[in-house]
Amino acid sequence: MEKQRITTVFKSCRRFLVSFSILFSSLFITLPAFTQSQSQILTAAEIRNLKLSPSEGQNLFAKEDIKFSVIIPKAVPSQVQVISTEQKQDINFRTMRKTDFYSDDYNGTIIEIWYSFEKSGSYTLSPLSVMIQNHRRQIDFDKVEITNDPAKMNARVVIVFDNGTTVFSDSPASASPLFTASMGKKLHFTVNLQYATQLVQFTWDIPKDSIFTQTKEYDFSEIKFRERNYSHELIPVADFEWTALTTGEQALPKFKLAATDYRGYRNELLLPEIIINFIEGSSVVQNQKESDIFSDAFFQQTEFETPSQKITVTYEDCKKLSELYTKEHYAFLNYFSAKKNRSSFESSLNLPPSSLKIFPSILMYISLALILASLILLILAIRKNQKIKLLVFITILVVSMITSIYSLIRRNEKYGICTGCKIYSIPAEKAESAVELTAGSKVRILEKTGKWFYVELGKNGGWCTTDKIIIIK
């Protein structure tokens, strides 16, 4: 009986030990997995650091699908669920994708979501509501700047003043002044094109009671193409200075441009009326002498000023002066004598010295003579194997050739003597005249269109009829 009782107790203990062993083994196996699962849970701080950002390499244009993406670490796609994609009325949800993400550092889920924007502007989208590992979270979007597609935009003119004020040709006209400026002070601005590949035409009117000067012309006006380079950048055309000589409201000169846009269409561009209110200058300017103010205003017009002493120059005088300049231009051995005769004749007419210097042909003759001499000496140096002299003669030859080419280019420049004429901003007598040139003024001829010459004197230029210019041959 006692033996049977001991056997029963032994069997019970053995069953207990087996059960304990199984339980201990189960805990040993599941503990690491439990610990690992706890480490894969995203915290609220980690969620706040996540951002839905526009994918790189895409254009942020209105009415086009724009992709935003975010990588959620420590979560497989089955643990991530997007609850809501709703945004403002002008932001439309297009589609969404959720896939696995693998990297050397961690694994997770990548969410890609597409939106389209009805119009351009700066947008801050509403946070994306999601469920991550059974917790409701919100992921913020990066702020985005949406612009219109430049390839679909019409070309337009943009004027930028030195005070930062900007005016667009497609803006509505305003009856009120754009800003206030000081009379007698130079107002600088730049005329730009936007969304254009080619400048076809560019003219402007001359305002009354003011000095208006083009100070710089950019390369774009020489017709250059920008193929498939669609951008919002402003392409400068020309810089201007505007000096008002009277107070009150004055309209900016009217600019007329014709340009080809990215789609190949030609656009006739006109700016709306721009009003500037000119007032008396500051107390510092008022204390200056009136002559000082206007001498500064006419700084760019010094070539066109009328001398205090009245000069009477006839057509025959202009013709003779042209002949004297022609002789000086082609003179070689008698160059200095020809120059003296021309200067004496100008002095007899009381004509002021001109800043336009006709390139003397004597320099071209000297360079050609040096080329011939250096070639002969070069051949002699080669025969005698004189290396130092050879190097010297080669240097002289190269310099002479460069000087000769430069001389040939300058020698072809065209000049003329004005017999007394008006200069216009465009080749039309109906345009307002900018200034009047006195007889005997020497001008440079840059272009001819029909019966019109485009002449330049100093930094100023304009159109005049060909019958008013005697060409220096």
Side-chain angles (χ1 to χ4, degrees):
M1 187 72 178
E2 184 66 21
K3 184 177 180 181
Q4 186 178 3
R5 188 174 64 83
I6 293 171
T7 303
T8 303
V9 173
F10 178 76
K11 290 181 178 180
S12 299
C13 291
R14 188 176 62 182
R15 284 195 297 271
F16 174 76
L17 290 173
V18 171
S19 300
F20 181 78
S21 300
I22 294 172
L23 179 61
F24 183 78
S25 299
S26 300
L27 289 174
F28 183 78
I29 294 171
T30 57
L31 183 60
F34 175 77
T35 304
Q36 184 179 5
S37 64
Q38 287 295 107
S39 64
Q40 293 293 322
I41 296 177
L42 278 171
T43 63
E46 290 175 320
I47 295 294
R48 284 194 295 270
N49 291 331
L50 298 178
K51 291 285 184 180
L52 277 155
S53 305
S55 299
E56 296 182 0
Q58 62 178 337
N59 295 316
L60 304 183
F61 294 152
K63 298 183 180 180
E64 291 190 6
D65 293 347
I66 299 174
K67 181 174 74 172
F68 296 81
S69 61
V70 63
I71 299 172
I72 302 175
K74 303 180 182 180
V76 296
S78 60
Q79 295 176 311
V80 179
Q81 180 182 358
V82 178
I83 299 175
S84 175
T85 59
E86 294 298 322
Q87 295 291 339
K88 301 175 184 178
Q89 291 184 353
D90 51 353
I91 306 175
N92 301 317
F93 169 73
R94 308 299 294 172
T95 186
M96 187 192 69
R97 182 170 60 191
K98 182 179 62 174
T99 57
D100 289 300
F101 175 80
Y102 301 100
S103 71
D104 296 335
D105 299 329
Y106 60 86
N107 298 336
T109 299
I110 180 170
I111 294 179
E112 298 171 311
I113 187 167
W114 284 262
Y115 287 101
S116 66
F117 298 80
E118 289 296 325
K119 55 186 179 181
S120 61
S122 179
Y123 289 87
T124 302
L125 285 77
S126 302
L128 186 69
S129 181
V130 294
M131 289 288 292
I132 302 176
Q133 296 172 341
N134 297 323
H135 291 84
R136 190 183 183 102
R137 306 291 189 187
Q138 287 187 334
I139 303 177
D140 294 328
F141 284 83
D142 279 337
K143 187 177 180 179
V144 291
E145 294 288 339
I146 303 299
T147 62
N148 293 314
D149 187 354
K152 300 177 182 178
M153 300 292 291
N154 293 325
R156 66 177 180 178
V157 183
V158 183
I159 289 187
V160 181
F161 291 87
D162 56 355
N163 62 4
T165 305
T166 304
V167 181
F168 301 91
S169 59
D170 51 2
S171 300
S174 176
S176 58
L178 187 64
F179 57 83
T180 300
S182 298
M183 182 197 71
K185 184 178 180 181
K186 294 177 182 178
L187 184 63
H188 301 268
F189 63 90
T190 301
V191 178
N192 305 273
L193 276 174
Q194 193 176 27
Y195 312 128
T197 60
Q198 185 182 18
L199 176 62
V200 181
Q201 183 183 4
F202 180 38
T203 59
W204 61 89
D205 295 336
I206 301 299
K208 296 180 179 179
D209 301 323
S210 61
I211 302 299
F212 191 74
T213 308
Q214 179 184 351
T215 58
K216 185 175 181 180
E217 185 178 9
Y218 294 88
D219 290 341
F220 186 84
S221 59
E222 296 176 1
I223 305 180
K224 292 190 176 181
F225 294 89
R226 289 166 167 78
E227 298 179 356
R228 302 185 180 277
N229 184 18
Y230 306 137
S231 70
H232 298 283
E233 69 170 330
L234 298 182
I235 308 167
V237 177
D239 293 341
F240 290 88
E241 284 181 353
W242 184 19
T243 307
L245 305 181
T246 59
T247 58
E249 296 183 357
Q250 295 190 37
L252 186 74
K254 292 182 179 180
F255 290 93
K256 300 176 183 178
L257 294 91
T260 306
D261 60 22
Y262 290 128
R263 297 168 295 179
Y265 299 129
R266 174 169 172 162
N267 298 264
E268 301 292 336
L269 306 174
L270 292 174
L271 280 161
E273 189 175 45
I274 302 171
I275 305 297
I276 309 295
N277 183 27
F278 291 98
I279 60 175
E280 292 288 344
S282 62
S283 57
V284 177
V285 176
Q286 289 175 351
N287 289 334
Q288 296 178 355
K289 295 181 179 179
E290 184 178 358
S291 60
D292 293 336
I293 297 175
F294 284 93
S295 64
D296 180 69
F298 280 93
F299 179 75
Q300 297 293 342
Q301 298 283 61
T302 53
E303 292 292 342
F304 290 151
E305 291 177 358
T306 303
S308 57
Q309 181 181 0
K310 187 174 181 180
I311 301 172
T312 302
V313 181
T314 64
Y315 178 85
E316 294 299 326
D317 292 333
C318 294
K319 187 175 181 180
K320 184 176 179 181
L321 184 60
S322 173
E323 293 173 354
L324 290 174
Y325 267 115
T326 301
K327 291 180 180 179
E328 178 186 347
H329 183 48
Y330 288 99
F332 180 38
L333 298 177
N334 61 338
Y335 169 74
F336 295 101
S337 175
K339 182 178 180 182
K340 183 178 179 180
N341 292 336
R342 187 265 305 166
S343 299
S344 299
F345 185 71
E346 279 185 334
S347 298
S348 65
L349 297 176
N350 291 326
L351 290 174
S354 175
S355 61
L356 289 176
K357 304 299 181 183
I358 297 178
F359 189 80
S361 298
I362 185 174
L363 185 59
M364 184 187 68
Y365 300 143
I366 293 173
S367 62
L368 292 175
L370 286 174
I371 291 174
L372 182 60
S374 58
L375 283 174
I376 296 173
L377 294 174
L378 187 63
I379 294 172
L380 294 175
I382 293 174
R383 288 184 176 181
K384 295 181 179 181
N385 196 21
Q386 297 173 329
K387 295 183 178 179
I388 297 178
K389 291 184 177 181
L390 180 64
L391 181 60
V392 172
F393 296 145
I394 290 176
T395 305
I396 296 174
L397 177 63
V398 172
V399 173
S400 301
M401 291 181 66
I402 294 173
T403 306
S404 178
I405 294 172
Y406 173 74
S407 302
L408 286 172
I409 295 173
R410 289 294 308 274
R411 190 171 179 267
N412 290 327
E413 293 177 348
K414 291 185 178 180
Y415 294 86
I417 302 298
C418 176
T419 60
C421 62
K422 289 184 177 181
I423 300 297
Y424 300 90
S425 60
I426 58 176
E429 293 181 354
K430 294 182 180 180
E432 296 182 6
S433 61
V435 287
E436 185 170 349
L437 289 182
T438 56
S441 300
K442 183 172 60 176
V443 296
R444 182 183 175 190
I445 303 170
L446 299 180
E447 185 180 349
K448 181 181 179 182
T449 301
K451 66 173 185 176
W452 293 89
F453 277 143
Y454 185 87
V455 298
E456 184 181 67
L457 188 57
K459 294 184 179 180
N460 301 279
W463 296 90
C464 69
T465 54
T466 55
D467 59 334
K468 299 295 184 180
I469 303 294
I470 300 176
I471 297 176
I472 300 173
K473 299 180 181 179

